[in-house]
Amino acid sequence: KFKMKNTILVLSLLFFCMQCNSQKPEKNTNPILEDQSSRTADDDYFVGNWMKSKIFVNNAEGRKLQNQDRCSQKSYWKFAKVNKILKQSKFTAKGKDCETFISTTFGNVVLENNQMNYFVDDVLYSVKIQIISDDEFVIEKKDFIAGKMVQVEEIFEKIK
């Protein structure tokens, strides 16, 4: 009887340990963010115009590159320092030839702990940012696509 209880206890403990080991976190399959940069963003880094070069959507099927329409490819995000305060405005290309731009109001930007808080008109947004290089950064955010919450990565490149 005592041997049977010990055997069951040892087997249960082994089974539990095997279950714990099988639940290791998944390796990040994101090639862009694989080399996690420790660089933090400051106001001066963002000053200038930035174009959204790629959009990735992470959902149940995995990570997929989203196509951008012609006007989205011409749209850009402008950052400037006004009286030592970082401000931003989004310029969206519209029209038949995507040559007309509609801009948002110049809203304040606050950077803190790889987090960017900014206003677009009267709406406050808070997103995670990661710097890839001097001319490229990523915004990570959650969004609804086709009625489902998904993780979105937007990659921006500095316009020179």
Side-chain angles (χ1 to χ4, degrees), residues 33-49:
L33 298 179
E34 214 167 70
D35 178 23
Q36 297 287 327
S37 172
S38 62
R39 180 175 174 186
T40 57
D42 61 7
D43 292 356
D44 294 329
Y45 171 84
F46 286 98
V47 172
N49 296 336

Side-chain angles (χ1 to χ4, degrees), residues 27-120:
K27 185 178 180 192
N28 186 359
T29 58
N30 183 344
I32 291 169
L33 298 179
E34 214 167 70
D35 178 23
Q36 297 287 327
S37 172
S38 62
R39 180 175 174 186
T40 57
D42 61 7
D43 292 356
D44 294 329
Y45 171 84
F46 286 98
V47 172
N49 296 336
W50 297 81
M51 184 173 291
K52 192 182 308 178
S53 61
K54 294 178 190 148
I55 303 170
F56 290 95
V57 174
N58 296 307
N59 58 23
E61 290 92 45
R63 186 172 184 256
K64 292 184 181 180
L65 179 64
Q66 294 291 108
N67 293 327
Q68 293 189 69
D69 63 50
R70 199 165 45 98
C71 286
S72 292
Q73 294 172 2
K74 291 187 175 187
S75 300
Y76 63 97
W77 203 357
K78 180 177 184 168
F79 290 87
K81 281 183 108 172
V82 179
N83 296 326
K84 298 182 181 181
I85 297 172
L86 185 64
K87 295 193 172 264
Q88 61 75 37
S89 184
K90 291 187 177 188
F91 290 81
T92 306
K94 298 284 184 189
K96 182 179 174 186
D97 297 323
C98 305
E99 297 299 325
T100 304
F101 288 90
I102 298 170
S103 67
T104 60
T105 57
F106 235 23
N108 290 352
V109 178
V110 176
L111 301 168
E112 191 172 59
N113 299 325
N114 290 329
Q115 195 80 11
M116 178 190 288
N117 299 306
Y118 63 96
F119 280 94
V120 174

